[in-house]
Amino acid sequence: MSLQIKIHIDKSLNSNGFIQSCFVPTFKETINYLFDDEIQGGVVDREEDSLLTLCDAVSDVKYEPALPISIDNRIGDKYSNINSFQLPKETDLGSCEESKQLALNLTFAILSRLGIGSFHSRIFISYKRRETEQLALELYKCLTAEKLGFEVFLDTRKLDVGTKFMDDIRLSIAESDIFLLLDSAGYWGKDSVYTRKELYTAMYSNTGIIRLFHGEGEQSEIAKAFESLRLKKENCVCDDDISNLIKIINDKRTSFLKAKMERLNDVRRTINEKDLWSYESDTDGVICPIFGVPTSQRIEKLEDRLKDKVVSPPSFSILYDHWVVPESYNNHIQWVVNEKNIKITTLQNMKMPKGDFKNPTVFLSASLSSEKDYDFTKVHNVIVTLVEEVINRNGILVFGGHPTITPIIANMMNIYNATNKDFPNIYLYQSNYYPEEEQPKENKEFPVDKIKRIDACDGDQEKSLEAMRKEMLSEHGNFTLGVFIGGRVEKNPNGAISCGVWNECEYFHKKHPNAICISFTDTGTNIDVIKRYYNPSLVSLTSADQIRNYFD
C-alpha cells in the first residue's frame, strides 16, 4: 500500500521553492524509511490558505488539516486560531543545511500531529551525581534554552517528591527520544545500580543513546556500543560542544525514531494491515498502535482518525508496549480507556505463542570478556528477547550470575514487576566461592526462592563451578533450549585453557541431548571452537529476533 500526500498551498507559498525542492523530498524519504512504505503525490497549486492536508490513498477520505503553515507570520483567517508552523521568507532560509533542518522540523511537526514521535526532541540526562552533576546542570540549562526547544528530563529538576522515583524515571525514558549518557568511571561502577537501570531501560525501550565523555578511551567496554561525543573540557560544556551535540541529535533523529517504533512495527508486519496507521483483528476489531506512552491526547487523535474513515466506528483497540510503562500509569491508561469504551491490546498479548512450544525450560550461559570484541547492544537484545519469550510462555529460565548479565535480567524483572505482582520463574544461581561483596548488587533484587546459592568446594574455583552447573541443570527437569553467549577464556593452574561457557555448553549437551543449543554471532562467542571441540550441534544465529523461531 502507499500513502498519498497532498499539500495544498496558496500562491505565495508555492513561490517558495523550499516546499518543492526541500520539504517534499525530506518528508517522502522520512516516511519511506520509518514505515518501509512508498509515498506518492506532491504539491498541488491552489489559491487557498496555506496548510498541509493528508489523504489516505486506500480509502481516499480526507483528514482534517494536519498542520497550518505560514510564511513570515502570514496566514488566512480560517486558521488564525491554530498555532502554525512558521516558515521564514525564502531569502531568509540561509544555507542548504539550514533548509534541510527546517524541512526535517516540519516533517516531525506533521508526524507529531499524527501521534508519531514528538515535535520537540525529548532528552533524558543520565549521570553519576557525585562525579558529573555540574556537567548535567550545565547541559540542562543549555538544552532548555528557548531557541533550542528541547524538552529535558533531569532528576533534580523533574522528579516530584513522594513518588516512586524509578517509575517516574522509566516513564520519562520511555517517552524520551534521546538518552544522554554522561560517561565517568563511577557510572559503570559495581555499586552504580541506578545508572545501570536507566541505561538498560533506555536500551529496552529503544531510546537513542548518545554518550558524552572527556579524555581518552571508554570507561567501560559497553560504552563502545553507543554514539559518542568527546567534550573539549572536563565537567563543562562550551558552545562548540552544544553545536556538535545538536548536530548529532538532528542527524540521528529519524533513525532513533525508527528504532523506537520497531517493537510495534514488528507486530504490524505480521498482520494483514488495513492501512499505515491501523490493522484489523478477528478478536479486537481495529487495532491502532501508539508509539510511546498512550496519553489521553494520543488516544483522542486515534479516535478522531477512525471517525473520519468510517460512518460507524468499529470495535477499537490500542496497542502499546506496556512493559515500559509503570503500574501507576497503566492504571491511569485503564481509567481513560474505560471512560471511552476502548479495548487495550498489549504487545505481550500480541506476541503470545502460536506454536506448541509452551512452558519451556531454558538455560542461559553468558559472560562477557574485555579480551574479545562483542556488540553489547546485540547481547542485550538477545537476553531481553529470551526473557520476554520465556515469560510470555510461562516458562522457566535458569542462569548463572555474572556481573554484566545479571543486571540486564534484574532490570527486566523490575520492569515486569511494575505491571505484574508475581515474580516470573527465573532462577539465578550463584556460587558462594565468590564473596558476596564481589557479586552484582542486583542479586538482592531476586526473591529468596529464585536465587540459589551453591556452597563452595574446598576453596577450589573449578570444583565449585562444576557443583553449581550440576545443580543448575538437574533441578528443573528436562531442558528444551540452551543459549550460549560470550565466554571468558582463562588458564587454570595446570596451564590448560578453560572457558565457563564452553564447558557449560558441553555439559548441557550431554545432560540434555534432545535440547536445542543456540548461540549468536558478534556476541564474543567462539562458535567455531565450541562446535569443533565441545558441542557440534550448536546452532549459530545472526539476530536476536531469530530466537523466537525456536519457541514455535
Side-chain angles (χ1 to χ4, degrees), residues 150-416:
F150 293 120
E151 298 177 23
V152 184
F153 180 96
L154 182 67
D155 57 352
T156 56
R157 293 291 185 271
K158 293 288 187 178
L159 281 179
D160 294 329
V161 295
T163 60
K164 293 181 179 179
F165 63 90
M166 276 311 301
D167 280 1
D168 285 355
I169 283 174
R170 285 198 175 96
L171 186 63
S172 298
I173 292 172
E175 274 287 81
S176 295
D177 308 297
I178 308 293
F179 181 92
L180 281 188
L181 187 166
L182 308 191
D183 200 354
S184 65
Y187 191 96
W188 311 97
K190 184 177 60 179
D191 297 330
S192 299
V193 174
Y194 290 110
T195 55
R196 283 195 292 272
K197 289 182 186 297
E198 291 173 1
L199 175 61
Y200 294 152
T201 299
M203 295 182 71
Y204 181 72
S205 60
N206 286 351
T207 302
I209 299 172
I210 300 175
R211 166 180 160 262
L212 304 184
F213 71 103
H214 178 265
E216 299 295 330
E218 296 84 12
Q219 298 287 355
S220 166
E221 288 293 310
I222 296 174
K224 294 179 180 179
F226 312 123
E227 185 77 29
S228 297
L229 172 64
R230 186 196 303 273
L231 301 177
K232 294 183 179 300
K233 296 181 180 179
E234 187 174 8
N235 236 358
C236 65
V237 289
C238 63
D239 291 344
D240 285 347
D241 292 328
I242 295 297
S243 297
N244 291 333
L245 176 58
I246 292 172
K247 186 177 188 309
I248 292 175
I249 292 174
N250 290 334
D251 289 346
K252 297 290 182 178
R253 192 175 184 184
T254 306
S255 60
F256 284 165
L257 176 59
K258 174 153 183 153
K260 199 85 167 173
M261 296 165 60
E262 273 304 286
R263 288 170 61 79
L264 292 183
N265 276 343
D266 285 343
V267 176
R268 289 178 65 251
R269 295 187 188 105
T270 65
I271 298 177
N272 182 25
E273 299 172 21
K274 180 176 180 181
D275 59 40
L276 188 63
W277 320 107
S278 62
Y279 44 79
E280 292 182 330
S281 163
D282 293 336
T283 57
D284 296 301
V286 176
I287 303 176
C288 294
I290 289 184
F291 302 104
V293 177
T295 61
S296 300
Q297 185 180 32
R298 286 173 177 160
I299 293 173
E300 287 171 0
K301 286 178 181 178
L302 291 178
E303 279 188 301
D304 293 341
R305 193 173 301 131
L306 279 184
K307 290 175 183 177
D308 284 342
K309 295 170 88 57
V310 291
V311 177
S312 299
S315 175
F316 173 33
S317 298
I318 60 170
L319 168 67
Y320 72 102
D321 191 354
H322 75 294
W323 272 47
V324 299
V325 179
E327 183 179 12
S328 57
Y329 201 86
N330 271 312
N331 292 338
H332 170 71
I333 295 169
Q334 189 65 60
W335 176 81
V336 171
V337 298
N338 286 343
E339 288 288 308
K340 295 178 175 292
N341 195 27
I342 296 171
K343 295 181 181 180
I344 289 178
T345 303
T346 65
L347 188 64
Q348 181 179 357
N349 290 338
M350 296 295 289
K351 290 185 175 181
M352 286 300 287
K354 299 176 182 177
D356 296 327
F357 195 172
K358 299 177 183 178
N359 307 112
T361 303
V362 180
F363 174 60
L364 170 65
S365 173
S367 66
L368 299 178
S369 169
S370 60
E371 297 170 1
K372 289 187 68 66
D373 290 333
Y374 57 85
D375 180 345
F376 182 73
T377 300
K378 189 170 185 177
V379 171
H380 175 273
N381 291 344
V382 167
I383 292 173
V384 299
T385 302
L386 178 65
V387 171
E388 280 184 343
E389 287 296 314
V390 170
I391 290 176
N392 286 351
R393 297 164 188 274
N394 194 30
I396 295 173
L397 177 66
V398 176
F399 75 103
H402 185 272
T404 307
I405 306 304
T406 300
I408 298 174
I409 297 178
N411 189 62
M412 286 289 293
M413 297 304 93
N414 294 153
I415 293 172
Y416 176 82

Side-chain angles (χ1 to χ4, degrees), residues 18 67-75 82-89 93 102 106 119:
F18 163 78
L67 182 71
I69 60 176
S70 63
I71 294 181
D72 198 24
N73 292 319
R74 291 184 291 106
I75 193 167
I82 303 175
N83 190 27
S84 63
F85 186 92
Q86 301 290 326
L87 282 181
K89 295 178 182 178
L93 279 175
L102 186 64
L106 180 52
F119 178 34

